[in-house]
Amino acid sequence: MKEFQGRLCEEFSAGYYGICTVGGMFSAGATHLAITPLDVLKVNMQVNPAKYNGISSGFSTLWKEQGPSALWRGWSGKLFGYGVQGGCKFGLYEYFKKLYSDVLVDHNRSVIFFVSSASAQVFADVALCPFEAVKVRVQTQSNFAKGLIDGFPKVYATEGLSGFYRGLFPLWGRNLPFSMIMFSTFEHSVDMIYRKVIQRRKEDCSRAQQLGVTCLAGYAAGAVGTVISNPADNIVSSLYNQKAHGVLQAAKNIGLVNLFTRSLPIRIMFVGPVVTLQWFFYDSIKVFNGLPTSGGLSRDMEEAS
């Protein structure tokens, strides 16, 4: 097994989890910031589908009625909210994957991937929820607030602390399945690419080859996770804009077919590339610090599981 040169810390040490957390914060925050215009359109398509009924026409309507600055509404929520979420999601996933691989010795790898990603996502969404509550309102209610600085006190003044967590359960409903499918698909895709396509062990490949595998597996993970999480994503937007008072009412108002299809094309358009870039940035930071890229269990983990 080839050792990485210039390694700052050993795997599964406190420093390792710190690097993973910082890498997750940067990768998630930067990529979500970059696709803010698409997210603004997506949310408006979910809340007002009659007015924003297509990608090109939706952008045109937003531009004409509210100006180009409208496309960047909620950018601070995207940057900081998803940065915090990404740090928790990636950092805790690495921690829980090692923890569960040591505890669940009689379970297969898929179980470890599922429970590790779910455990990490629970904490990540608690951190994200207040930012998301402000972001969605800023993006869909032009007179609500300009961003996080004036949005946070306004939500608290009108709805109290509960206003920040109105969408927590739908957020879990959207992100838990997405995260579980995404991480599991990524891990298995990495394993399949090395075994079936490259036919070499990861440790025997160059860093550039490893990052290429990361990108291919990341795109597959994003595409699959998007379809699974779309119904809950529609419900979150509906609840935050007070189109319904509860999950069941929101689902009934939207309709079964629309839950799965509304805003799906635009989500597929940006979620796949975003997830790919997240994994690329995340693994690039790990490689820069002398650590191996993501995917699969370490040799010690494989022996334990």
Side-chain angles (χ1 to χ4, degrees), residues 104-168:
L104 304 176
V105 293
D106 296 326
H107 292 76
N108 62 31
R109 293 167 20 132
S110 294
V111 172
I112 293 174
F113 299 149
F114 276 130
V115 296
S116 299
S117 56
S119 299
Q121 193 66 51
V122 167
F123 292 99
D125 282 347
V126 171
L128 168 66
C129 203
F131 295 92
E132 188 77 353
V134 176
K135 178 194 75 77
V136 172
R137 289 174 171 87
V138 169
Q139 290 178 334
T140 57
Q141 302 171 26
S142 58
N143 297 321
F144 178 76
K146 294 181 179 180
L148 295 179
I149 294 178
D150 56 339
F152 270 117
K154 194 166 185 178
V155 171
Y156 184 77
T158 56
E159 302 181 46
L161 187 62
S162 62
F164 294 111
Y165 289 95
R166 179 190 299 275
L168 180 59

Side-chain angles (χ1 to χ4, degrees), residues 92-255:
L92 288 175
Y93 174 72
E94 299 281 2
Y95 171 78
F96 283 121
K97 187 167 75 165
K98 178 66 169 70
L99 175 66
Y100 290 134
S101 69
D102 293 338
V103 174
L104 304 176
V105 293
D106 296 326
H107 292 76
N108 62 31
R109 293 167 20 132
S110 294
V111 172
I112 293 174
F113 299 149
F114 276 130
V115 296
S116 299
S117 56
S119 299
Q121 193 66 51
V122 167
F123 292 99
D125 282 347
V126 171
L128 168 66
C129 203
F131 295 92
E132 188 77 353
V134 176
K135 178 194 75 77
V136 172
R137 289 174 171 87
V138 169
Q139 290 178 334
T140 57
Q141 302 171 26
S142 58
N143 297 321
F144 178 76
K146 294 181 179 180
L148 295 179
I149 294 178
D150 56 339
F152 270 117
K154 194 166 185 178
V155 171
Y156 184 77
T158 56
E159 302 181 46
L161 187 62
S162 62
F164 294 111
Y165 289 95
R166 179 190 299 275
L168 180 59
F169 288 104
L171 204 60
W172 279 336
R174 178 187 74 185
N175 290 342
L176 279 171
F178 179 88
S179 184
M180 293 167 70
I181 294 297
M182 185 197 74
F183 277 102
S184 181
T185 301
F186 176 83
E187 299 271 11
H188 287 297
S189 295
V190 167
D191 182 63
M192 183 191 71
I193 292 170
Y194 281 118
R195 286 190 301 105
K196 302 294 185 180
V197 180
I198 299 179
Q199 297 182 347
R200 294 167 63 190
R201 298 176 64 216
K202 179 171 72 173
E203 293 81 3
D204 297 325
C205 295
S206 67
R207 295 184 182 186
Q209 289 174 321
Q210 291 187 27
L211 289 175
V213 172
T214 291
C215 290
L216 289 174
Y219 190 85
V224 174
T226 300
V227 176
I228 299 297
S229 65
N230 202 60
D233 190 63
N234 279 299
I235 290 175
V236 168
S237 294
S238 178
L239 289 176
Y240 278 139
N241 284 276
Q242 298 181 343
K243 298 290 184 179
H245 297 294
V247 173
L248 293 179
Q249 183 184 353
K252 182 179 179 180
N253 292 345
I254 296 170

Side-chain angles (χ1 to χ4, degrees), residues 48-59:
N48 194 348
K51 184 175 182 179
Y52 303 97
N53 55 12
I55 295 176
S56 60
S57 62
F59 274 126

Side-chain angles (χ1 to χ4, degrees), residues 283-297:
D283 270 0
S284 294
I285 290 172
K286 292 174 75 173
V287 167
F288 180 77
N289 286 280
L291 297 168
T293 56
S294 304
L297 300 173

Side-chain angles (χ1 to χ4, degrees), residues 64-84:
K64 290 179 181 178
E65 293 187 355
Q66 303 180 39
S69 62
L71 299 178
W72 290 95
R73 290 185 187 277
W75 68 267
S76 57
K78 296 287 286 182
L79 175 62
F80 296 107
Y82 283 90
V84 171

